[in-house]
Amino acid sequence: MSDETGDTPGRVETSDRVIPLEDIPLHSTNLLSLLDEDGVVWYQSPSVERLLAFGQDELVGVPCTECFHPDDRERVYDAFKNVVSSDEYVVEAIEYRHLQGGGSYVWVESVTSSEPTSDGYYVINTRDISERKRQRKELERANERLKEFADIVSHDLRNPLSVAIGWLGRAREEFESEELDAMVEPLNRMSRMITELRTLTMGRRREANAVSASIASHAKLSWSVTETEDSELRVLIDPAVEYESDIGLLDHILENLFRNAIEHNRDPVTVTVGPLEDTAGFYVADDGEGIPPDRVASVLEYGYSTSADGTGVGLAIVSEFVEANGWKLTVTNAETGGARFEVRTE
């Protein structure tokens, strides 16, 4: 394709064809609109008939605010005016409800920039996101049901479980029995599963509240509240290094990674927290047995555990909480042979 373009208005010339620019809005699946700086509609592409059930010229001359749901009107117009008044190049994307020809509203997303056309109009690119909003609502309802289920499990099982653990402790004080001793870990495992289920549902329902946090400081704190037995922690990351994170989510990430290293190795391990070399972020690695290569892709799935004492939820919590922080988690094996979890913060 040639780098040269023709100077005829309304077309682009290449080495073997002429592309008429006026055909682009005719075939765009999105709605393309032109608004003046006051938000009055001057043009809409033919897709307005499919997207909004209006004739192509039906909204021309209408202030855009008349087309917004009353509850969204001020918010959307403020965003548009911010773009128009900006002295720098900015792009604004906003979700809102737009009026349809039949009087109902549809969820859309509109994108515009602060750079007007040569005639001073602003190009608005609008698409239907009603299906995405519907799926989001379904997810919210599912999370609400999960929370309710977790509340029931926590309430209905925690109390009788505590009673059972208490009676078991008394029985073991009075009687020496391998059968009684064998009941300790299953009951403790049930208690951990209840706690992890509650932790998971709480994390899903909360919005991340990011503040600057020292990874080194929180690593030491999380280690101090984790049952680590004879294992050791080595922190190689500078205490002054901070990342934007929700403190509660960060602590749960570290605690579950530490617990995973302890539970999935037969012998005590050294767990290292250090900085990533190629990008912003940190890693948590141990010098234990590592992850079989054919299982690396499975360790973050719900229910996966190579330990008889594991619940299969801890690493799933790590994955979800890392994502909630806007970070990215990758799993590999460390140079020392153990498992290595890398958290990229950018």
Side-chain angles (χ1 to χ4, degrees), residues 225-297:
V225 298
T226 304
E227 294 183 9
T228 57
E229 300 177 354
D230 294 328
S231 294
E232 297 180 358
L233 174 68
R234 184 173 60 162
V235 178
L236 302 182
I237 192 168
D238 189 334
V241 174
E242 296 184 342
Y243 295 113
E244 293 294 311
S245 171
D246 182 289
I247 298 301
L249 297 181
L250 174 60
D251 289 340
H252 281 303
I253 290 170
L254 293 168
E255 289 170 21
N256 278 282
L257 287 176
F258 295 159
R259 191 176 299 114
N260 178 76
I262 305 303
E263 292 180 351
H264 289 80
N265 289 286
R266 290 187 293 268
D267 299 323
V269 293
T270 297
V271 178
T272 302
V273 178
L276 297 180
E277 296 180 358
D278 58 339
T279 186
F282 62 95
Y283 69 86
V284 177
D286 64 69
D287 59 356
E289 301 170 11
I291 306 170
D294 60 339
R295 298 184 180 181
V296 169

Side-chain angles (χ1 to χ4, degrees), residues 49-258:
E49 298 179 5
R50 174 187 57 80
L51 180 63
L52 301 175
F54 283 111
Q56 185 176 356
D57 298 327
E58 196 169 346
L59 297 179
V60 172
V62 175
C64 64
T65 51
E66 295 185 11
C67 303
F68 304 154
H69 190 282
D71 293 342
D72 301 333
R73 190 167 296 159
E74 182 177 356
R75 174 174 59 87
V76 181
Y77 189 66
D78 285 348
F80 175 72
K81 295 304 291 183
N82 286 338
V83 169
V84 171
S85 61
S86 176
D87 294 329
E88 300 179 353
Y89 179 78
V90 296
V91 175
E92 183 82 39
I94 192 164
E95 299 179 0
Y96 61 99
R97 287 160 289 184
H98 196 292
L99 180 66
Q100 290 185 301
S104 60
Y105 289 88
V106 62
W107 275 101
V108 299
E109 179 185 58
S110 289
V111 182
T112 189
S113 77
S114 58
E115 186 173 76
T117 66
S118 59
D119 296 326
Y121 297 111
Y122 292 86
V123 180
I124 315 296
N125 191 326
T126 302
R127 63 184 179 124
D128 183 346
I129 60 167
S130 54
E131 178 61 20
R132 187 174 76 188
K133 297 292 286 189
R134 184 191 64 78
Q135 293 176 352
R136 188 180 300 172
K137 282 289 185 182
E138 289 185 355
L139 179 60
E140 290 174 355
R141 287 195 293 268
N143 284 340
E144 183 63 30
R145 290 194 295 270
L146 179 60
K147 189 266 180 183
E148 293 173 355
F149 171 73
D151 287 344
I152 292 173
V153 169
S154 179
H155 180 270
D156 291 357
L157 293 185
R158 178 73 73 183
N159 289 340
L161 181 61
S162 297
V163 172
I165 292 175
W167 280 108
L168 176 61
R170 295 178 185 178
R172 294 178 67 213
E173 290 176 357
E174 296 185 20
F175 307 99
E176 291 188 5
S177 169
E178 293 183 358
E179 289 78 7
L180 291 177
D181 293 342
M183 293 175 61
V184 173
E185 182 51 35
L187 291 178
N188 288 338
R189 185 170 184 270
M190 289 176 63
S191 180
R192 290 198 302 273
M193 291 182 69
I194 293 172
T195 299
E196 289 180 345
L197 179 60
R198 288 285 296 161
T199 300
L200 180 59
T201 56
M202 289 172 58
R204 282 185 173 181
R205 288 170 53 82
R206 67 187 292 177
E207 294 184 1
N209 181 24
V211 297
S212 295
S214 166
I215 301 301
S217 298
H218 282 273
K220 294 176 181 178
L221 177 62
S222 296
W223 184 265
S224 69
V225 298
T226 304
E227 294 183 9
T228 57
E229 300 177 354
D230 294 328
S231 294
E232 297 180 358
L233 174 68
R234 184 173 60 162
V235 178
L236 302 182
I237 192 168
D238 189 334
V241 174
E242 296 184 342
Y243 295 113
E244 293 294 311
S245 171
D246 182 289
I247 298 301
L249 297 181
L250 174 60
D251 289 340
H252 281 303
I253 290 170
L254 293 168
E255 289 170 21
N256 278 282
L257 287 176
F258 295 159

